[in-house]
């Protein structure tokens, strides 16, 4: 340990987790009741969760599945995307957005992002359209909606479909419309770290015909699910029209989801308070930039992504994260851009600087703890840690 190591003031004695789930006795009871009900896989609770989720958003239709990845895969298959087709998306996303394009044999066409929101840059997306383009997949990065108006215009002009990766974007809105009610299909995630969690899970919303196609594909391609075959009025007969997948949600997950949905607005209110506190503190520090919130959009505030002004600091992002850890603050990076991963880099011959905005952002972003269980003291600990790191490492 050098002098500096000894000198830091670790005011926080326990490690602050980056994003634990906010689960109460109500969720625990709902799961226990489900276990006692005699029906644990897709059944009445999953149906209820779909209805309540659809009504909450005002979406046309909703299908509960076991992940957002599954929802995006089903969306591409339901739209008939196949080898030879191209799908435009952003390099600044989680790997599964792009993996599912590979799964259907199509070509992912990566596009750079806008510097403020790190969402799909509509002008660059326009330049990437070819006669083979079938779908555009904007990602609502960190919960801030992508600029959908020009993307939808382009889609209409060129006869393309729009699948939104809304893994982060519950609840979010664009120009007054809730995310999940805008594009042809929208995929949500209920992964453990998300604003609403079912442990693992996802929802596909959108055009009822497409969602119905996805529903059949989500359970082996069977014409009737098990609940409908095994209840008192049920029938053993089913038909398989397409080779589908095993992507259904279970009633255990749905039981969690129903309670989480009823608590969502309250949890969001807490996120808003925390983000306001972070913004007030960090906007006073020249060495960091706070996340953008555009006036025509409402973010779900899923991630709090701080941008470091590296030219004003003597340390890089990796050391910044180490310094947070030394002060017992968990953090993360969203994301390692897709084009840096060996599979995509090598298959499509991509260089780091092919997407200069995303690559530049990647080197300077750090996601701070943001979840509804953070106490005022936790928030103060994060602010104190960032302030102290900057103070000790400014140029
Ligand atoms: C942007 C984005 N898309 C998709 C996913 C995949 O979600 P899931 O884990 O529910 O499949 C994630 C997961 O964190 C994500 O961050």
């Amino acid at each position: 340990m050098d002098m500096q190591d000894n000198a830091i003031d670790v005011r926080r004695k326990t490690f602050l987790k980056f994003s634990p789930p906010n689960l109460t006795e109500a969720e625990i009871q709902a799961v226990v009741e489900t276990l006692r009900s005699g029906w644990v896989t897709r059944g009445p609770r999953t149906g209820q969760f779909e209805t309540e989720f659809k009504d909450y958003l005002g979406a046309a239709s909703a299908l509960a599945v076991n992940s957002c990845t599954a929802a995006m895969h089903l969306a591409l298959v339901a739209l008939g995307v196949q080898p030879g087709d191209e799908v435009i998306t952003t390099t600044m996303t989680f790997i599964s957005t792009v993996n599912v394009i590979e799964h259907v044999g199509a070509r992912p066409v990566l596009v750079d992002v806008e510097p403020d929101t790190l969402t799909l840059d509509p002008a660059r997306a326009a330049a990437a359209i070819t006669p083979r383009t079938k779908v555009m997949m904007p990602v609502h990065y960190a919960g801030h909606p992508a600029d959908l108006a020009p993307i939808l215009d382009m889609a209409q002009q060129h006869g393309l479909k729009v699948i939104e990766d809304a893994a982060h974007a519950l609840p979010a809105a664009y120009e007054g419309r809730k995310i999940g009610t805008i594009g042809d299909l929208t995929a949500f995630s209920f992964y453990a770290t998300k604003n609403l969690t079912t442990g693992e899970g996802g929802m596909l919303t959108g055009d009822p015909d497409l969602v119905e196609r996805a529903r059949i594909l989500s359970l082996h391609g069977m014409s009737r699910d098990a609940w409908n075959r095994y209840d008192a009025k049920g029938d053993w007969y089913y038909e398989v029209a397409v080779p589908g997948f095993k992507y259904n949600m279970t009633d255990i997950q749905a039981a969690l989801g129903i309670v989480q949905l009823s608590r969502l607005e309250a949890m969001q209110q807490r996120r808003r308070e925390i983000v306001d506190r972070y913004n007030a503190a960090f906007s006073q520090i020249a060495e960091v930039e706070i996340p953008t919130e555009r006036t025509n959009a409402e973010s779900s505030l899923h991630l709090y992504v701080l941008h470091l002004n590296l030219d004003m600091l003597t340390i890089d992002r990796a050391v910044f994260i180490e310094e947070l850890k030394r002060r017992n603050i968990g953090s993360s990076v969203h994301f390692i851009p897709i084009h840096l991963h060996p599979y995509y880099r090598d298959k499509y011959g991509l260089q780091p600087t092919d997407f200069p905005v995303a690559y530049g952002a990647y080197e300077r972003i750090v996601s701070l703890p943001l979840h509804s269980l953070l106490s005022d003291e936790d928030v103060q600990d994060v602010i104190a840690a960032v302030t102290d790191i900057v103070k000790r490492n400014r140029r």
Side-chain angles (χ1 to χ4, degrees):
M1 258 187 201
D2 61 26
M3 283 298 287
Q4 204 182 8
D5 281 333
N6 288 327
I8 76 160
D9 163 30
V10 181
R11 56 179 263 154
R12 194 182 167 88
K13 300 305 169 210
T14 57
F15 190 73
L16 182 62
K17 287 193 190 133
F18 175 69
S19 188
N22 183 339
L23 299 172
T24 64
E25 203 50 43
E27 280 88 344
I28 293 167
Q29 277 310 315
V31 169
V32 169
E33 278 167 29
T34 308
L35 297 178
R36 293 209 163 103
S37 76
W39 194 270
V40 289
T41 187
R42 187 190 160 94
R45 285 172 174 82
T46 310
Q48 182 189 340
F49 183 37
E50 284 173 344
T51 302
E52 291 182 6
F53 191 87
K54 173 176 85 73
D55 293 347
Y56 170 73
L57 293 181
S61 191
L63 167 69
V65 288
N66 58 10
S67 71
C68 177
T69 305
M72 294 189 293
H73 188 193
L74 290 172
L76 289 167
V77 178
L79 285 169
V81 179
Q82 55 189 9
D85 294 340
E86 292 178 355
V87 177
I88 293 174
T89 190
T90 139
T91 189
M92 200 49 142
T93 188
F94 185 59
I95 198 70
S96 72
T97 319
V98 186
N99 283 349
V100 293
I101 302 170
E102 290 279 315
H103 292 336
V104 296
R107 182 187 177 95
V109 176
L110 300 178
V111 164
D112 212 343
V113 291
E114 300 202 79
D116 58 341
T117 58
L118 305 187
T119 57
L120 185 71
D121 183 330
R124 291 174 203 261
I129 294 173
T130 76
R132 292 177 297 281
T133 310
K134 285 283 155 60
V135 168
M136 285 198 283
M137 283 180 81
V139 178
H140 303 312
Y141 175 87
H144 192 293
D147 194 8
L148 288 174
I151 293 168
L152 292 167
D153 278 354
M154 252 183 286
Q156 198 173 23
Q157 234 172 19
H158 296 270
L160 313 177
K161 298 291 182 185
V162 176
I163 301 172
E164 294 165 59
D165 179 342
H168 298 175
L170 179 72
Y174 176 82
E175 294 184 345
R177 297 163 71 192
K178 283 231 169 73
I179 296 300
T181 67
I182 303 175
D184 296 288
L185 288 165
T186 303
F188 293 92
S189 173
F190 309 135
Y191 179 65
T193 57
K194 297 302 192 279
N195 294 27
L196 181 160
T197 186
T198 59
E200 300 279 357
M203 192 78 79
L204 185 68
T205 65
D207 175 67
D209 290 340
L210 291 172
V211 171
E212 228 23 65
R213 211 178 297 171
R215 186 181 302 281
I216 289 168
L217 285 163
S218 74
L219 248 183
H220 310 293
M222 284 159 55
S223 55
R224 294 156 69 95
D225 68 23
W227 175 252
N228 288 317
R229 282 182 283 116
Y230 294 139
D231 77 345
K233 304 185 295 298
D235 190 340
W236 56 270
Y237 187 75
Y238 61 87
E239 289 184 339
V240 172
V242 283
F245 308 94
K246 188 65 167 51
Y247 281 167
N248 62 285
M249 181 173 273
T250 70
D251 266 22
I252 302 170
Q253 293 165 308
L256 273 172
I258 291 164
V259 179
Q260 286 267 291
L261 187 60
S262 74
R263 297 181 51 229
L264 184 63
E265 290 295 327
M267 292 193 287
Q268 285 304 116
Q269 207 173 329
R270 181 60 187 153
R271 280 180 186 267
R272 181 75 262 172
E273 289 165 7
I274 295 161
V275 168
D276 289 346
R277 277 170 185 251
Y278 279 164
N279 284 345
F282 300 140
S283 55
Q284 305 302 311
I285 303 177
E287 289 81 359
V288 300
E289 284 166 36
I290 64 171
T292 301
E293 289 181 47
R294 291 188 183 172
T295 53
N296 68 344
E298 232 173 277
S299 172
S300 70
L301 309 175
H302 174 55
L303 298 173
Y304 192 88
V305 180
L306 202 62
H307 293 233
L308 308 180
N309 287 327
L310 293 175
D311 50 351
M312 300 174 77
L313 292 166
T314 55
I315 54 172
D316 64 11
R317 191 268 318 280
V319 176
F320 196 94
I321 286 176
E322 280 311 306
E323 290 295 319
L324 282 171
K325 208 182 287 175
R326 286 174 66 206
R327 289 162 179 80
N328 273 328
I329 307 293
S331 64
S332 192
V333 174
H334 298 86
F335 292 98
I336 302 167
I338 301 300
H339 70 284
L340 301 185
H341 291 294
Y343 176 82
Y344 291 99
R345 178 194 67 201
D346 298 344
K347 179 167 182 182
Y348 297 106
L350 301 170
Q351 302 294 324
T353 51
D354 284 352
F355 307 99
V357 180
Y359 186 58
Y362 164 61
E363 299 205 299
R364 54 193 286 256
I365 49 180
V366 50
S367 305
L368 298 179
L370 174 58
H371 56 84
S372 50
L373 290 175
L374 288 176
S375 68
D376 289 352
E377 210 170 307
D378 295 332
V379 174
Q380 214 38 55
D381 287 341
V382 176
I383 292 171
V386 170
T387 306
D388 187 51
I389 296 167
V390 169
K391 199 176 81 188
R392 286 164 186 274
N393 298 285
R394 53 167 54 110
R395 266 192 208 285

